Amino acid sequence: VTGEIRNAINMPSLDAAALAAVGPYLDLARALGKLLAKLGPDNPDSLRVSYHGPISKKDTGLVSRSVLTALLEASRPDGQVNIVNAPAIASQLGLDLVESVINAKTEYNELLVAELSKGDERYRVAGTIIGRSPRIVEMDRLYVDTNISGNFLIVRNDDRPGIVGALGTLLGNANQNIANLSLARNKSLGVALTIIELDDPLSAELMTAIRAIPGVLSATGVTL
């Protein structure tokens, strides 16, 4: 066993060294695809996967395809989407996959960015490898720091006191244990992003109660 990917129909061909170079980004790519499926626009027409830093000089075809596959799998849970046929299915749906290189300076040595678009509506997520750990570091152009696996509550809310406390109280009363918390804000727009990692998925009833909290603009439960 060499770890190579060769001669698979419609698959990028990678030797063991090339696969090892992009391997740490494959799980991150899948997490970004799943997030976009939950948070991005419905019936999108474009998926742009961009690379910054040394990763941009590597063979990233498999990474981009991993983002696409995870995105499509979320909307087709019948198991009919895989990394081989994902580009063909995307084409049937009118979804273009575009790869690009980020030349602008970022906060990170390497950065993987995935942006889903429908017309002028766009949603962007990004991640990187910190040490040996893949991390999600951006959602909707707000800086965050969270794991790539687990159960998450992602809340967009007014940037004012009391909302995080109300969320914590509601989750505590429902016996939901908070594992991690990440907060971000756009002070000029008066909006904030609250990402709560939980031990267990959220019920539909609890999600309804969360969305009813004054100041909550949107709330999404995601399992990665």
Side-chain angles (χ1 to χ4, degrees):
V1 177
T2 65
E4 298 177 348
I5 297 179
R6 291 196 180 278
N7 301 322
I9 298 174
N10 297 325
M11 276 289 293
S13 181
L14 296 178
D15 61 24
L19 183 59
V22 299
Y25 276 89
L26 297 180
D27 287 340
L28 175 59
R30 289 190 56 80
L32 296 183
K34 290 179 182 179
L35 275 176
L36 286 178
K38 282 285 192 176
L39 302 173
D42 294 330
N43 303 312
D45 50 43
S46 176
L47 170 63
R48 178 177 292 274
V49 183
S50 305
Y51 301 88
H52 169 77
I55 182 68
S56 67
K57 302 183 186 306
K58 298 170 184 175
D59 188 341
T60 56
L62 187 60
V63 180
S64 297
R65 192 174 288 207
S66 295
V67 178
L68 176 65
T69 303
L71 170 69
L72 295 177
E73 282 176 343
S75 60
R76 293 194 172 195
D78 54 9
Q80 296 302 308
V81 180
N82 56 58
I83 203 162
V84 175
N85 66 18
I89 292 175
S91 180
Q92 293 169 8
L93 296 173
L95 175 62
D96 293 329
L97 173 62
V98 180
E99 284 190 290
S100 65
V101 174
I102 301 172
N103 293 314
K105 186 177 180 180
T106 77
E107 298 289 326
Y108 303 95
N109 181 51
E110 289 190 323
L111 192 68
L112 169 60
V113 180
E115 184 175 73
L116 197 64
S117 305
K118 181 181 181 181
D120 293 333
E121 184 182 359
R122 299 180 179 183
Y123 198 95
R124 164 174 158 151
V125 291
T128 191
I129 307 295
I130 299 177
R132 295 184 178 181
S133 175
R135 306 289 294 177
I136 296 166
V137 296
E138 182 188 321
M139 289 187 192
D140 202 19
R141 297 187 180 274
L142 292 174
Y143 290 113
V144 300
D145 180 19
T146 193
N147 294 320
I148 66 163
S149 62
N151 302 297
F152 298 91
L153 170 63
I154 301 172
V155 177
R156 192 173 181 85
N157 53 272
D158 291 335
D159 184 19
R160 59 179 175 82
I163 296 178
V164 174
L167 287 169
T169 298
L170 188 59
L171 293 171
N173 290 340
N175 293 316
Q176 279 281 353
N177 190 47
I178 296 176
N180 284 294
L181 175 68
S182 180
L183 302 172
R185 67 193 297 211
N186 185 321
K187 192 173 182 179
S188 63
L189 294 179
V191 297
L193 191 65
T194 304
I195 304 171
I196 302 174
E197 184 180 351
L198 302 160
D199 285 349
D200 301 299
L202 296 168
S203 67
E205 293 78 11
L206 189 52
M207 288 301 306
T208 298
I210 290 168
R211 294 184 181 112
I213 294 174
V216 168
L217 305 175
S218 66
T220 306
V222 180
T223 297
L224 299 177

